[in-house]
């Protein structure tokens, strides 16, 4: 049974806690609900926005179309040997999937512990943290095609994954609703501990042969220490992407800023830490009206209570201008702005 609601507040449905209204809102529990919406013409309402956990969104105004919240549940584990396929419903909370898999000794996503949001959103922006990206374990996803009402499957190649990117954010944006995702996990596989902060935390705890559960626990501890909990302080994680620039541009920059935090990307490019750039411009922990940056992570913009999306957006513009003036690097937003 699906119920189309009208003029409802989206505040509970975005982790920034921005209080805007949706003209129409519907929550779906299974693929058949989407088919029903398609058949009755509701899916043809414009504009259309699909939300899961709403953890990567900034609303700057009321949404004048239809918001669909995907609540499809379900979790299946296939395979008896070391290689296991896990299929999860798009509406499952991502961290519940991670905790379940860690508990079953299924390795591959333990570094992605505590990322807010749902399973269905995970391939869209190719979530990543602490040396692992979703694409490393992704097998395929099932998707509902909005224009035709058909179910389709996308394998890894078809998803066009990049750094916080996929075809669902690019060429196919707004055309599909992801309903289920399949992952390839491993029993007894190797843990990935090369990310500096993980190594340091394991060392501090005296853990020399970390298990999947150790890594998950360490990642959770690092995140809790650095990132604000969206259930108490509204935020959408990293607000900007870490900029990737050419090695030549980097050589120029490093002569003026010898301490610049950077990571090589192949042989020709360099990734800069946006958090560092923002901090150098004096924004770390800054409070600006009801918004600001987080005290322990300048890349995270927060809602201290009652912030409007416009306010957060204007503050982000101020940051972009400051970073651009100092470093000649233009930050790109990671969150989706509506
Ligand atoms: N840094 C600063 N000042 C700051 C923040 C960071 O100097 O205020 C420096 C740190 O010292 C560190 C470097 O920047 O040397 C990287 O910082 P961190 O490890 O916190 O990671 P990040 O690059 O800021 C990225 C992801 C996060 C993910 C972490 C851990 C992006 C846009 N963000 O942040 O993802 O959790 O790495 O892997 O790639 C998200 O996408 O929402 C998100 C939280």
């Amino acid at each position: 049974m699906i119920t189309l609601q009208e003029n409802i507040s989206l505040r509970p449905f975005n982790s920034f806690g921005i209080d805007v209204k949706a003209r129409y809102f519907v929550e779906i529990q299974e693929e058949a609900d989407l088919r029903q919406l398609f058949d009755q013409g509701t899916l043809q309402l414009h504009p259309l926005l699909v939300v899961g956990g709403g953890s990567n969104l900034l609303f700057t105004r009321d949404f004048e179309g239809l918001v669909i919240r995907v609540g499809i549940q379900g979790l299946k584990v296939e395979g008896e040997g070391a290689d296991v396929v896990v299929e999860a419903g798009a509406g499952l909370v991502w961290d519940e999937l991670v905790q379940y898999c860690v508990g079953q000794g299924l390795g591959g996503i333990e570094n992605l512990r505590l990322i807010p949001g749902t399973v269905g959103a995970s391939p869209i922006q190719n979530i990543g943290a602490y040396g692992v990206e979703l694409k490393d374990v992704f097998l395929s996803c099932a998707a509902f095609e909005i224009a035709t009402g058909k179910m389709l499957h996308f394998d890894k190649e078809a998803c066009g994954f990049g750094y916080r990117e996929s075809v669902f954010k690019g060429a196919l944006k707004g055309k599909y609703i992801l309903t289920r995702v399949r992952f390839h996990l491993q029993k007894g596989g190797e843990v990935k501990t090369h990310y500096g902060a993980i190594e340091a935390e394991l060392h501090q705890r005296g853990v020399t042969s970390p298990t999947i559960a150790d890594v998950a626990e360490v990642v959770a501890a690092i995140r809790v220490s650095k990132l604000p909990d969206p259930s108490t302080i509204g935020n959408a994680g990293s607000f900007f992407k870490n900029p990737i620039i050419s090695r030549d541009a980097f050589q120029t920059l490093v002569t003026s800023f010898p301490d610049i935090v950077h990571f090589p990307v192949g042989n020709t490019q360099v990734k800069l830490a946006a958090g560092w750039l923002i901090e150098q411009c004096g924004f770390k922990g800054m409070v600006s009206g009801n918004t600001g940056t987080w005290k322990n992570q300048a890349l995270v913009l927060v809602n201290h209570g009652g912030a409007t999306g416009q306010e957060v957006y204007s503050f982000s513009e101020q940051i972009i201008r400051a970073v651009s003036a100092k470093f000649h690097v233009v930050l790109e937003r990671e969150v989706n702005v509506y």
Side-chain angles (χ1 to χ4, degrees):
M1 176 66 191
I2 43 175
T3 317
L4 189 66
Q5 295 175 267
E6 286 190 49
N7 295 320
I8 72 148
S9 169
L10 288 172
R11 191 170 168 185
F13 305 112
N14 72 99
S15 64
F16 245 120
I18 304 292
D19 197 6
V20 292
K21 281 198 171 71
R23 180 74 183 89
Y24 300 101
F25 179 89
V26 70
E27 172 143 3
I28 61 116
Q29 301 299 340
E30 49 184 345
E31 285 85 344
D33 293 343
L34 287 171
R35 183 67 214 192
Q36 196 184 323
L37 290 173
F38 178 83
D39 288 342
Q40 69 195 32
T42 310
L43 267 195
Q44 285 75 1
L45 286 169
H46 283 291
L48 188 70
L49 172 65
V50 181
V51 298
S55 54
N56 204 37
L57 284 177
L58 178 68
F59 288 115
T60 56
R61 56 178 71 90
D62 288 343
F63 193 79
E64 298 298 342
L66 172 67
V67 174
I68 301 180
R69 185 159 198 253
V70 177
I72 299 173
Q73 301 296 304
L75 183 57
K76 272 197 303 200
V77 180
E78 298 161 14
E80 296 296 322
D83 290 290
V84 171
V85 175
V86 173
E87 185 187 274
L92 219 66
V93 171
W94 171 260
D95 195 47
E96 285 175 12
L97 173 70
V98 176
Q99 289 189 59
Y100 173 83
C101 294
V102 169
Q104 298 295 309
L106 304 176
I109 51 177
E110 59 278 5
N111 296 47
L112 306 180
R113 182 74 229 282
L114 270 190
I115 293 185
T118 54
V119 165
S122 65
I124 294 178
Q125 62 148 348
N126 182 26
I127 58 170
Y130 305 103
V132 172
E133 281 187 335
L134 185 93
K135 70 172 171 53
D136 304 337
V137 292
F138 178 91
L139 272 181
S140 65
C141 61
F144 184 91
E145 192 170 51
I146 294 165
T148 64
K150 287 192 186 132
M151 286 300 303
L152 266 77
H153 289 267
F154 289 82
D155 63 14
K156 191 193 286 201
E157 208 185 311
C159 291
F161 290 124
Y163 167 56
R164 293 296 191 278
E165 284 295 345
S166 77
V167 73
F168 303 110
K169 260 182 113 172
L172 301 184
K173 187 171 177 175
K175 297 196 184 317
Y176 293 91
I177 299 172
L178 270 53
T179 59
R180 295 186 195 269
V181 185
R182 286 162 74 83
F183 307 93
H184 171 209
L185 303 184
Q186 282 192 307
K187 280 187 190 151
E190 296 219 329
V191 287
K192 290 193 177 145
T193 56
H194 58 275
Y195 199 92
I198 295 191
E199 267 175 3
E201 184 73 23
L202 285 169
H203 181 73
Q204 208 194 334
R205 292 174 179 222
V207 180
T208 47
S209 316
T211 61
I212 294 167
D214 289 329
V215 173
E217 204 180 304
V218 158
V219 166
I222 300 168
R223 286 188 78 95
V224 168
S225 71
K226 279 201 174 177
L227 301 168
D229 174 0
S231 66
T232 50
I233 304 223
N235 75 91
S238 300
F239 195 90
F240 303 100
K241 290 185 192 181
N242 284 325
I244 297 174
I245 62 171
S246 71
R247 185 154 274 287
D248 290 347
F250 174 73
Q251 292 306 345
T252 313
L253 215 46
V254 76
T255 51
S256 311
F257 305 99
D259 300 336
I260 191 163
V261 179
H262 65 283
F263 310 91
V265 177
N267 293 325
T268 56
Q269 292 180 306
V270 175
K271 191 190 263 190
L272 305 178
W276 185 87
L277 300 174
I278 297 168
E279 181 175 349
Q280 297 303 307
C281 292
F283 282 92
K284 190 170 184 173
M286 182 187 277
V287 177
S288 167
N290 296 319
T291 185
T293 57
W294 186 235
K295 57 182 192 284
N296 300 330
Q297 226 308 357
L299 190 48
V300 178
L301 270 59
V302 295
N303 176 2
H304 286 297
T308 63
Q310 292 287 355
E311 200 179 355
V312 177
Y313 189 83
S314 305
F315 183 57
S316 75
E317 292 273 87
Q318 219 180 303
I319 293 176
I320 293 173
R321 277 197 300 272
V323 168
S324 167
K326 189 171 173 105
F327 297 104
H328 305 290
V329 170
V330 180
L331 293 179
E332 201 186 311
R333 291 180 186 85
E334 200 222 280
V335 297
N336 296 303
V337 178
Y338 287 94

